[in-house]
Amino acid sequence: CYLPPEGLQMNNTEQGAPSAHFPDQQIRLSAGMSTGDILSRPLLDCLVKIAELYGEHFILIQYMPYCWDLAGLCKRKVSQNLEGGLLGSLAVLHAIIPLLSDSVLMKELDNITCQILCPVIHASTSSINLFSSGSSIRTCLLHKSLDIVSLLGLRIGEEMARTH
């Protein structure tokens, strides 16, 4: 869904069509949905339903390690498949954070920030890393990362956000 360059295109109002926004646009910093976001919406809804059915333990055993593994792979040269995978894993992470209870979220907060968000943000802002799709993938990764940071800040509250 997120494979560049088609998955990175932002849907805008150039041809008179209304711009596509996320259903939860109020808690996001990104301007709108990319083509990859629109294409992945049914899949993310399915993954959320599976996580709701099997619970938090399933999220911690299946979804989180997937996100950790992909975030750990972006060292120097990032292929197009890894670019799409990183965007997809950040989309999954944003979708499953609301499903975690406050206690589980607080236990996993360091893992989310240190093992997923920090490597993605570091890779996106580093001049050492080479992305096949250029600057557009860096922008998308940073927008999705900021959406997750914003969601985490809203979930844990102002005081806890200052300490973490």
Side-chain angles (χ1 to χ4, degrees):
C1 296
Y2 288 102
L3 282 179
E6 296 85 15
L8 300 177
Q9 295 174 350
M10 293 302 291
N11 291 320
N12 51 21
T13 58
E14 287 177 6
Q15 298 162 344
S19 105
H21 293 289
F22 291 99
D24 59 351
Q25 188 66 41
Q26 295 85 7
I27 61 169
R28 291 184 182 258
L29 299 175
S30 55
M33 298 176 85
S34 67
T35 303
D37 292 323
I38 293 170
L39 293 174
S40 68
R41 193 85 242 148
L43 177 64
L44 285 174
D45 290 341
C46 181
L47 290 174
V48 165
K49 295 293 183 195
I50 291 170
E52 288 173 348
L53 182 64
Y54 289 105
E56 293 176 333
H57 187 69
F58 184 80
I59 292 171
L60 298 176
I61 298 298
Q62 293 294 320
Y63 294 171
M64 297 293 274
Y66 169 75
C67 296
W68 295 333
D69 290 343
L70 281 179
L73 290 177
C74 48
K75 298 294 180 204
R76 294 228 182 237
K77 174 96 170 102
V78 181
S79 68
Q80 281 191 341
N81 287 338
L82 183 54
E83 291 172 1
L86 285 171
L87 285 171
S89 69
L90 291 178
V92 167
L93 184 62
H94 193 278
I96 62 171
I97 285 175
L99 303 177
L100 297 173
S101 67
D102 290 341
S103 61
V104 170
L105 180 62
M106 291 308 294
K107 287 179 189 173
E108 294 298 320
L109 190 59
D110 286 337
N111 290 333
I112 291 171
T113 55
C114 295
Q115 294 184 9
I116 300 171
L117 290 175
C118 286
V120 169
I121 292 171
H122 182 279
S124 300
T125 57
S126 173
S127 61
I128 296 172
N129 287 45
L130 301 173
F131 285 87
S132 303
S133 302
S135 65
S136 60
I137 185 69
R138 292 177 188 262
T139 303
C140 286
L141 285 171
L142 289 173
H143 279 134
K144 288 204 175 296
S145 299
L146 285 174
D147 287 344
I148 293 169
V149 169
S150 172
L151 178 62
L152 287 172
L154 290 171
R155 276 293 307 273
I156 65 174
E158 184 179 348
E159 288 298 319
M160 293 303 288
R162 285 185 190 156
T163 60
H164 288 281

